[in-house]
Amino acid sequence: MKKFSIEIKWALLFTAMMLLWMVLERLAGLHDKNIEMHPIVTNFVAIPSILIYVFALREKKKVSYGGSMTFVQGLVSGLIMTAIITALSPLSQWITLEVITPYYFENMINYAVSHGQSTLEEAQAYFNMKNYLITTLIFTPTVGAVTTLVVAGILSLFKKKSA
């Protein structure tokens, strides 16, 4: 477990950041009164998400590899972190949709139907816990792997500076 303590720490921080982001979205009205802005604003979560991967792999590089990490070492570390985040994602989704913003689905369905974006049946098929859990379990490892590839690739280019 100690071997993966950095990945566990940053996966927990990532999950906490996502929950905080959901709280901020709700407080900003993106789940009700400003719902029309949700599809755009929600994408900005990519910024802190990527930064967490950068900070995690930088720490792994410094602490575990003495400042010089290969691409494969960074890739493995990032994928482990992604696996932990993916494992935590159903709980995170449940907290978001049952505790933080319990009327999210109802509001999204009403908005999509009232703005002619979908029929009631289509909206109900999309905006529900089962669909969101499935989407999360596909999206999280996919985006995490891509982020890991990029961040590990960039960080592996920078070698430890000689004293």
Side-chain angles (χ1 to χ4, degrees), residues 57-146:
L57 293 184
R58 283 179 63 193
E59 181 178 342
K60 187 71 173 185
K61 179 179 180 178
K62 179 181 178 186
V63 172
S64 299
Y65 301 115
S68 183
M69 181 173 67
T70 68
F71 171 73
V72 172
Q73 290 167 329
L75 182 64
V76 169
S77 179
L79 291 177
I80 290 168
M81 192 173 114
T82 297
I84 298 165
I85 293 167
T86 301
L88 292 170
S89 68
L91 176 61
S92 177
Q93 274 290 16
W94 183 86
I95 291 169
T96 297
L97 298 167
E98 294 293 329
V99 177
I100 296 171
T101 182
Y103 299 108
Y104 177 79
F105 290 134
E106 181 182 332
N107 292 343
M108 292 304 266
I109 289 167
N110 289 338
Y111 180 81
V113 172
S114 68
H115 286 78
Q117 295 174 348
S118 64
T119 66
L120 177 60
E121 295 76 24
E122 291 167 339
Q124 289 172 332
Y126 184 78
F127 295 110
N128 63 69
M129 184 68 79
K130 179 183 176 187
N131 187 53
Y132 266 49
L133 288 174
I134 291 168
T135 302
T136 297
L137 290 171
I138 295 168
F139 183 79
T140 302
T142 303
V143 173
V146 170

